[in-house]
Amino acid sequence: MAIITNAPRGTQDILPEQSGKWQYIEKTALDTAGKFGFHEIRVPTFEHTELFCRSVGDGTDVVQKEMYTFCDKGNRSITLRPEGTAGVMRAMLQNSLLAGPLPVKASYVVNCFRYEKPQTGRLREFHQFGVEMAGAAAPVADAQVIALAKAIFDRLGIRDLALELNSIGCPECRSKYHQALKAYFAGHQEALCETCQSRLETNPMRILDCKSPVCQKIAAEAPKITDYLCEACAAHFREVQEHLEMMGIAFTVNPSIVRGLDYYTRTVFEFVSSGIGAQGTVCGGGRYDGLIETLGGQPTPSIGFAMGLERLLLVMEQQDCNFPSGETCAVYFGSMGSEASKKAAWLCKGLREAGFYAECDLMGRSVKAQMKYADKLGAKYSCIIGEKEMQEGKAIIKRMEDGETAELPLECGPLVEFLSAAFSPNP
Ligand code: HAM
């Protein structure tokens, strides 16, 4: 028989055997964010299209080429979120969170959708862990958000991610910089790729980000934003760096980090891995001081980041990071006959209520096959209940590892006591 269809290109199933890794990463990230005062927010998977056009920016690749946009049955234009920031900011505004004490901090785990060309580390549905902090303008806030990302990587045991930092200034210094860039690239217009020729008018900074070798070569000699920062932006950037130095967080200033979304101002940063191929940016973020105003709120300086969980997992696997092992099956009850099967299920219920992972036969297999299955499960103990055991009300419990046995009554209390001793770290 043939399956009627596979999952759409660029999507990925997370199977039961892998989900423990995902839960561990998500829990570690959320928990670490909690230590910085960030608590989880959950927002809708889809929003009105306009939200992303206004925040991410009409001219960006994300809005122009990559969004999953459709008309719902009420004829509204709806978009599956391509990223988390816009929805979180919309929720903060709509729920008047910004009227309370500032800064407002939120963390999130979201699935995102972008119609990109799939490759390793690049999917059409992917997952992000992110944080957003609204209302804090000071450089210490930037440094704290970066320190949080670093703390998550450290707790997961990830090494050797390069932190690249830049400032893209405020709209004022950026407009001077745009002019300088336009003048420079205009001198190389013919050589630029087609996309960059059109970027020349709309957003010359994106040329710095182009992957074409020719454009990259031209961009290497382009004027640097850091030479065009106004005094306030330059001072802010300096202080962010001083905070990072104080915390011992290594970074390099990379003037070609411009980020692909329009809302950024001042500090932008990326954590990059060199071990997972072309899509090495594991985490990206920055300040977006103008976004909340664009969405209809009061001017509210804000900053955040998002890390791609698929890429994070790739890095962890490539670096052989430790993951906690799944829960061990404490005991597998084998049984012969329907009365014994009921007894086994009843014992499982009692053990589970006491916090143990217990299994019994669900397939009506032979005892030999049941034991083989218990072995595959990695059960620590097994116990076979047959006619004799039912009559005597006791059975042999066997440690699978070495075959050591003990005889116990077929009652929950003594079994719980026995397993508690066997599983306690200091027997
Ligand atoms: P972004 O750089 O577009 O920023 O995405 C953040 C991270 O999501 C990337 O560094 C990457 O790890 C992952 N990512 C992006 N696209 C894909 C994809 N197609 N497949 C797999 N992973 C992907 C943002 O989304 C901003 N909202 C980050 C932010 C939050 N800035 C401030 N606050």
Side-chain angles (χ1 to χ4, degrees), residues 2 25 28 87 114 118 136 216 244 283 299 417:
I25 292 175
T28 305
R114 295 185 194 176
Q216 274 185 357
L244 293 176
C283 173
E417 211 171 292

Side-chain angles (χ1 to χ4, degrees), residues 165-205:
L165 193 67
N166 193 20
S167 172
I168 56 168
C170 61
E172 220 168 278
C173 30
R174 209 154 51 223
S175 92
K176 287 191 197 120
Y177 180 57
H178 272 189
Q179 281 171 11
L181 266 189
K182 269 188 192 166
Y184 170 78
F185 283 124
H188 297 83
Q189 188 165 2
E190 303 288 275
L192 292 173
C193 75
E194 217 173 289
T195 321
C196 284
Q197 295 208 9
S198 64
R199 283 173 177 156
L200 193 52
E201 275 316 305
T202 52
N203 193 350
M205 277 173 76

Side-chain angles (χ1 to χ4, degrees), residues 291-310:
L291 176 59
I292 291 182
E293 206 178 351
T294 309
L295 298 181
Q298 296 297 320
T300 313
S302 305
I303 180 156
F305 68 72
M307 37 184 82
L309 297 185
E310 284 79 4

Side-chain angles (χ1 to χ4, degrees), residues 386-399:
E387 219 171 287
K388 175 167 165 280
E389 286 77 10
M390 289 296 285
Q391 268 168 17
E392 293 177 357
K394 53 190 182 183
I396 302 288
I397 186 160
K398 184 171 94 176
R399 190 155 66 194

Side-chain angles (χ1 to χ4, degrees), residues 13-33:
D13 300 311
I14 297 165
L15 302 175
E17 68 215 38
Q18 300 155 333
S19 59
K21 290 184 176 180
W22 284 80
Q23 287 167 357
Y24 167 64
I25 292 175
E26 289 167 9
K27 186 172 177 303
T28 305
L30 286 166
D31 185 71
T32 311

Side-chain angles (χ1 to χ4, degrees), residues 213-231:
V214 178
C215 297
Q216 274 185 357
K217 201 160 164 235
I218 298 170
E221 304 296 322
K224 307 236 175 310
I225 176 74
T226 34
D227 295 330
Y228 287 79
L229 296 180
C230 66
E231 192 35 53

